[in-house]
Amino acid sequence: MSTIRQRPNYGDHSTIPQKQAERCDNDRTGKASSANSAFLSRSGMRNIFLAVLGLSLCYRWLRKDLPHPSDTTYAICSKEGNKIYTVDEHNTQQQCVVVHRGYIVETGSLQDIKGLRKSLPYIGAALNIRYIPDGSIVVPGISDSHGHILEYGASQQLPLEGTKTIQDTVARVREFILSNPDVYNDTSKFIMGGGWDHTVWPSSGWPSAADLDADPVIRGRPVILQSKDCHALWVSLRAIESSLPFPEAIEGGVIVRDDTGSPTGLLLDNAQDLLKQPKLTESDLLRRFKVAVKDAHSLGLTSIHDAGLDPISLAFFKRQAELGTLPIRIYGMTYFNEDKAYWGNTTTPVIGAGNGRLTARSVKIFADGALRTGGAALYEPYTDNPSTPGFMRLDSDVLFDVIPKFLRDGWQVNVHAIGDRANGIVLDAFEASLVGVNVTALRPRLEHAQMMTKADMARLGRLGVIASVQPTHAISDMWYAQDRLGPERVKQLYAFRSLIDSGARITLGSDFPVESMNPLSGFYAAITRVSPDGKSPHGSEGWFPEQRLTRTEALRGMTIDPAYASFTENTLGSLEIGKRADYVVLSQDIMTVPANKILSTEVLATAIDGDVVHGSI
């Protein structure tokens, strides 16, 4: 096996040097040496920081690709005391934070902040203090560690979430057609929607093209409907006909067929790639992007890890970055296609484009399918379908071949793995590839890490591989999981506490549009493991309540931990001096209110680089 050579830590190319940020942190936590502590007092550190900031801003003004920074200086404070959760190393709470030109330059009490004009001359005669409403709190900008931006925008065109039966879903497609004259009058126009979930329907069978074409309004139209977990497509006969002929079989996927061997209109996992779909226009992509960003801002998201950028999506985000500052931070995982030539040594990572808001320095590899559609790779057959243990979407030899290559060439490797067998095989590949390597510099990730043996949980912690998990999946899947896996194996599923106790670092996401984009839904699910109405198969205490996270762990899991998982912990993820001023104002204190009130929390304001992009303060 080839030796892995380390590449520099790309990190976040902000204007604040990494060493400067580290010195600030050390000074505040008492970790600096006594000599440094004597020389670099708090005020001294602040002055050094501001000098560096001033020089860097001058440099940025000379660059045509970056906009002039805002001159805005203000403090955000609470009249009720320390209601700002900084999420620093010690989870400190503060009363005020001072923002200058998009960065945090001071934290402290209201009294301390009011006296800053003596030490910070640029403030002027008086500091602009913005008070948050009574009862509200401030947290760092929230990150979703695993979402799909453009796919979310597409799903909002014809959302199928919540339909109760096949017929209910067909009726929603019919209503969409009748409600849109441009669609109704053009029978050749592709109709695309998503979010249907067969696990909540009374029938255990799959939907088919015949179900769609039984409706006279739908019949003869090309219809493509993505499943809730994005691992299945339900399509009409017209959509199938435009893609024929299909191969007899496809590795890592299933073409569902009837007794005569004809496709029924359902394609699972890799078989989805067989369907020919219309090419998206720039206006299509832009419309989807705007919908996703607007909703993200309204929910307090300032950063999204896009889990699987295909070439079209990545090219679109690059074009948007070239046009100027992106409206949200995007950490992209570039899609790996095993049928294409290896590109890790010929492709340059995108680092900090769009005024530092677009980075694509990782690769996303799919190991297996999904539990919901029975494609997750298990060691033993499914309890409710003993004929299959699921399947791998690619041969394990591919993992052992490409993972060390990508790591060698400086790419973070993120692998989708759901079933216990898939996670075991991926960890085998990681273990073989990480021998003698600085894991902190590479930070490989398991995307989902849903079901693992106890031995593999321990190995995950030992190897230092990050577990990127989605708490809302747990409260969605808990209703059918035991039927699918049996009473013993199900204990290995969504075992978040066991992962942490094994020494693993986890980071939280939603996998939207599979689940709600609302990060507070994930926070609630992580600490309660009950449905929004307070129920679970194990009662009101939660589904396997011993696997719950604490509120502090959940808050860190959607702020500083995603920053670490995207190499930006020195500039994002907490409200500390020297970091970018990304923050969210929440209407109530999610760290103390009763759990059943968390989902009623409103986002009063979302700020990126100190600029409020949603709400007001």
Side-chain angles (χ1 to χ4, degrees), residues 148-157 288 291-292 295 512-513 517:
H148 304 273
I149 297 172
L150 297 181
E151 290 79 2
Y152 174 88
S155 72
Q156 299 309 293
Q157 177 178 317
R288 295 179 179 186
V291 168
D295 287 356
F512 68 77
M517 183 188 274

Side-chain angles (χ1 to χ4, degrees), residues 94-325:
Q94 297 283 7
Q95 185 176 15
C96 297
V97 167
V98 180
V99 176
H100 176 61
R101 290 185 170 177
Y103 289 90
I104 297 170
V105 296
E106 187 59 277
T107 64
S109 69
L110 180 59
Q111 181 178 354
D112 291 340
I113 296 303
K114 285 182 176 179
L116 279 179
R117 63 179 181 272
K118 298 178 181 179
S119 57
L120 302 180
Y122 60 81
I123 288 179
L127 176 63
N128 174 17
I129 299 179
R130 304 177 184 179
Y131 292 100
I132 63 176
D134 290 349
S136 63
I137 64 169
V138 179
V139 299
I142 301 173
S143 295
D144 191 309
S145 294
H146 188 111
H148 304 273
I149 297 172
L150 297 181
E151 290 79 2
Y152 174 88
S155 72
Q156 299 309 293
Q157 177 178 317
L158 174 52
L160 302 175
E161 186 88 17
T163 56
K164 304 299 184 183
T165 64
I166 290 176
Q167 292 71 30
D168 187 20
T169 312
V170 171
R172 193 172 292 188
V173 176
R174 172 191 173 94
E175 181 182 349
F176 172 78
I177 295 172
L178 294 176
S179 301
N180 292 272
D182 60 324
V183 177
Y184 178 77
N185 294 323
D186 184 358
T187 58
S188 67
K189 193 176 186 67
F190 273 76
I191 299 164
M192 308 180 78
W196 58 269
D197 181 5
H198 70 292
T199 66
V200 300
W201 296 343
S203 171
S204 59
W206 290 107
S208 68
D211 294 316
L212 292 169
D213 288 294
D215 188 293
V217 174
I218 301 174
R219 187 181 304 129
R221 298 175 184 269
V223 180
I224 303 174
L225 307 178
Q226 182 80 66
S227 65
K228 176 180 172 66
D229 61 8
C230 296
H231 285 264
L233 286 179
W234 171 18
V235 301
S236 66
L237 289 173
R238 178 76 178 274
I240 292 175
E241 290 168 356
S242 63
S243 302
L244 294 176
F246 286 157
E248 285 299 314
I250 181 168
E251 185 176 356
V254 176
I255 305 167
V256 179
R257 301 178 185 273
D258 60 23
D259 293 339
T260 68
S262 299
T264 66
L266 197 77
L267 305 171
L268 306 180
D269 287 295
N270 287 353
Q272 296 176 98
D273 298 335
L274 299 174
L275 195 72
K276 296 178 181 178
Q277 301 188 38
K279 184 177 180 180
L280 294 172
T281 66
E282 192 74 4
S283 60
D284 290 333
L285 296 169
L286 189 59
R287 181 175 62 254
R288 295 179 179 186
F289 185 48
K290 288 182 176 179
V291 168
V293 170
K294 181 175 181 293
D295 287 356
H297 287 167
S298 72
L299 296 169
L301 289 173
T302 58
S303 176
I304 295 171
H305 298 190
D306 197 299
L309 296 179
D310 60 26
I312 293 175
S313 299
L314 180 56
F316 170 77
F317 288 137
K318 285 181 178 180
R319 291 194 297 273
Q320 291 301 304
E322 290 170 357
L323 294 175
T325 301

Side-chain angles (χ1 to χ4, degrees), residues 74 130 583 604-608 610-617:
Y74 64 90
R130 304 177 184 179
Y583 64 83
L604 303 180
T606 303
I608 302 179
D611 293 327
V612 176
V613 295
H614 167 78
S616 61
I617 182 172

